[in-house]
Amino acid sequence: MSFLKGTLFLIFCLVGGIACAQDLSAFGLPAVTSVEELNGETTYSLSLQILILMTALTVLPSLVLGMTAFTRIIIVLSILRQALGTQQTPPNQVLIAVALFLSFYVMSPIFEILYVETITPFLDGKIEINQALSEGLALLKEFMVTNTRVDTLNLFADLSDNGPFLDKQSIPLPIVLPAFITSELKTAFEIGFLIYLPFLVIDMVIASILMSLGMMMLSPMLISLPFKLLLFVLVDGWAMTIGSLSATFLVS
């Protein structure tokens, strides 16, 4: 729902900015003006165009978090760090960078189609902005629906009293967005559980050995950390985790 809030905020800012520009133009401020052309179109000044562009950029974080593979990846990486017991290593900045780059890798086929079929025709003036936005959202919606659990989609469809739907494109975006986020959270925790199990076994074995030796005051986490790091390095854990995590996404 953060995308919907961001969209409403964007519309509010655009409408408010246009109204404000028209009011300020009456006071003789040429930097923020809007001009009505003879053909009925409205031309805005460069300052107002920059204002609209900066307002639109505020929606980008919500788009990255809510409509791509970022959510599942960052949660799995965070659980992996906790399973290793390395505290803040790797740091949050590194995890976010890895999640962003991996998200771009997973979404690259979709971004390529989006650039070729939507962005390039719009920049060349072959299609209008409304058609470009509609086609772009339809492509992202297809990706989200493909990677969303059917029971989660049915849950939000029942809550909103909608459905049944004929195909993926007929599902409304207000249903797809929360269903996709909820499905991603569930999938991420399932993957994190499977990743956590081997390290939990190591912790239990080390704790049992220390108790049998009577070393009650020695922290099992301190002793098990080198063994967990050794196991993770021997099996090439980062490549295995990132490769397996990328393979869980379905890109049609």
Side-chain angles (χ1 to χ4, degrees), residues 42 97 167 221:
T42 303
D167 52 12
M221 297 294 295

Side-chain angles (χ1 to χ4, degrees), residues 208-224:
S208 300
I209 294 175
L210 291 178
M211 290 184 63
S212 63
L213 294 176
M215 300 179 181
M216 307 295 295
M217 303 301 295
L218 188 60
S219 174
M221 297 294 295
L222 183 64
I223 305 300
S224 63

Side-chain angles (χ1 to χ4, degrees), residues 73 76-77 79-81 83-84 90 95 98 102 191 194-196 198-199 227-246:
I73 296 172
V76 171
L77 293 180
I79 295 177
L80 174 61
R81 183 176 64 179
L84 286 171
L95 286 185
V98 172
L102 191 56
I191 298 175
L194 297 177
I195 291 176
Y196 211 109
F199 302 105
F227 293 98
K228 290 191 290 187
L229 292 178
L230 178 62
L231 173 65
F232 195 68
V233 171
L234 289 177
V235 299
D236 198 7
W238 286 113
M240 182 182 298
T241 302
I242 292 177
S244 302
L245 189 57
S246 302

Side-chain angles (χ1 to χ4, degrees), residues 13-25 29-35 42-56:
C13 291
L14 292 178
V15 175
I18 294 173
C20 181
Q22 294 175 348
D23 293 339
L24 291 176
S25 61
L29 295 178
V32 185
T33 57
S34 60
V35 179
T42 303
T43 304
Y44 303 103
S45 63
L46 179 60
S47 300
L48 185 56
Q49 293 179 20
I50 294 176
L51 174 63
I52 295 174
L53 177 61
M54 296 303 294
T55 305

